[in-house]
Amino acid sequence: MDNEDCYRLMDMCDRNGNRDGAALRFVAEHLCTRPELQKLLILISDGQPADYGYSGTEAEADLRGIKKEYEKRDVILFAAAIGDDKENIRRIYKDGFLDITKLEELPKNMAQLVKQHLK
């Protein structure tokens, strides 16, 4: 942290750094240590996984495997999609897909999701 941070923020752009599997596994492992009986993990994504050496069908299979693995450990995973890659996110997460294209409906949809899955 220094006085140059504002300039580094202005340089932000996509650089193929979307390694969803590692991030999902990290958060899901943390959730598994929590005492609550029901756990809901919501990923908001603007695209499919795309990192060096981590993309395409292999990355998608990794994400489906992670979703299945943590469902067995009572972590409910949803991927909410924004942007043009919505259909790819739907293909990866199937019943765990949440379309949040209409942001004005996001609060209502999130409340319904929580109400539906957490009892």
Side-chain angles (χ1 to χ4, degrees), residues 56-76:
T57 56
E58 294 85 6
E60 290 185 17
D62 180 46
L63 295 174
R64 280 191 289 275
I66 289 169
K67 181 178 182 288
K68 186 180 280 188
E69 173 185 344
Y70 286 99
E71 282 176 348
K72 291 177 185 174
R73 296 174 66 186
D74 298 320
V75 175
I76 301 166

